[in-house]
Amino acid sequence: MSRMLFANLAVENVAATRAFFDKLGFTFNDMFCDENTACLEINEQSFVMLLEKPRFRDFINDDICDTSTAREVLMCVSADSREAVNQLVDGAVAAGGSEWVTAGSQQANTEMGEFSHSRAFRDLDNHVWEVMWMDVEAAAQQWAPEEKGAQA
């Protein structure tokens, strides 16, 4: 069974948020958009619902995370190359977001070597979006389990 994924994020201003992601080249599924909601399409099966806070509250019984002081989720999207990672993050910063760097994310890049590259940005509402490229074949070769005879 193939499942669809709808991640939901609370935003202050859905029009401003949609304009931000438009500038980054993302598309939207207008079937699920209205004046309070934008449906950002990751692919045919994965979407991020960007809901203005009053609309987001319709779906929850508790508080909305204060993204200026805490993380409720780390979104991660893939890119086709190292250059595409840099273009997307640089574009996000130019569109009003900010780069997000932690010691942990720098460590992960170092450990993964030459076959991956990632950076992250905060959107207009301080949600963190990691952008990652990986050469899956090279990663699989480096992380391939030892032959069973060598483990004995």
Side-chain angles (χ1 to χ4, degrees), residues 2-6 27 29 32 41-47:
S2 178
R3 297 184 189 267
M4 297 175 77
L5 172 69
F6 291 87
T27 59
N29 183 328
F32 300 113
E41 188 172 319
I42 303 299
N43 60 40
E44 306 85 34
Q45 296 287 94
S46 304
F47 307 88

Side-chain angles (χ1 to χ4, degrees), residues 70-90:
R71 295 296 125 234
E72 81 281 30
V73 65
L74 293 173
M75 304 298 287
C76 184
V77 295
S78 64
D80 292 333
S81 66
R82 292 174 185 274
E83 296 77 21
V85 168
N86 294 332
Q87 288 173 348
L88 186 55
V89 174
D90 292 343

Side-chain angles (χ1 to χ4, degrees), residues 7 11 19 23 31 34 37 43 57-58 62 65 72 74-76 80 82 95 98 108 111 119 121-122 127 134 141 148:
V11 302
K23 289 177 186 173
M31 184 169 64
D34 62 26
T37 306
N43 60 40
R57 282 188 177 92
D58 291 340
D62 49 6
C65 178
E72 81 281 30
L74 293 173
M75 304 298 287
C76 184
D80 292 333
R82 292 174 185 274
S98 60
E111 290 174 7
R119 289 174 60 195
F121 66 89
R122 288 184 185 188
H127 300 293
M134 180 184 295
Q141 288 176 4
K148 291 186 181 194

Side-chain angles (χ1 to χ4, degrees), residues 61-74:
N61 293 324
D62 49 6
D63 291 330
I64 295 173
C65 178
D66 178 357
T67 56
S68 68
T69 61
R71 295 296 125 234
E72 81 281 30
V73 65
L74 293 173

Side-chain angles (χ1 to χ4, degrees), residues 35-55:
E35 65 277 356
N36 300 305
T37 306
C39 179
L40 187 143
E41 188 172 319
I42 303 299
N43 60 40
E44 306 85 34
Q45 296 287 94
S46 304
F47 307 88
V48 178
M49 300 301 294
L50 305 164
L51 303 130
E52 284 200 8
K53 287 183 177 182
R55 181 67 178 131

Side-chain angles (χ1 to χ4, degrees), residues 7 42 56 60 74 101 109 134:
I42 303 299
F56 189 88
I60 63 173
L74 293 173
V101 179
N109 277 341
M134 180 184 295

Side-chain angles (χ1 to χ4, degrees), residues 108-113 115-116 132 134-146:
N109 277 341
T110 303
E111 290 174 7
M112 296 181 81
F115 53 82
S116 73
M132 181 207 53
M134 180 184 295
D135 179 341
V136 177
E137 270 187 39
Q141 288 176 4
Q142 180 164 332
W143 292 336
E146 305 258 342

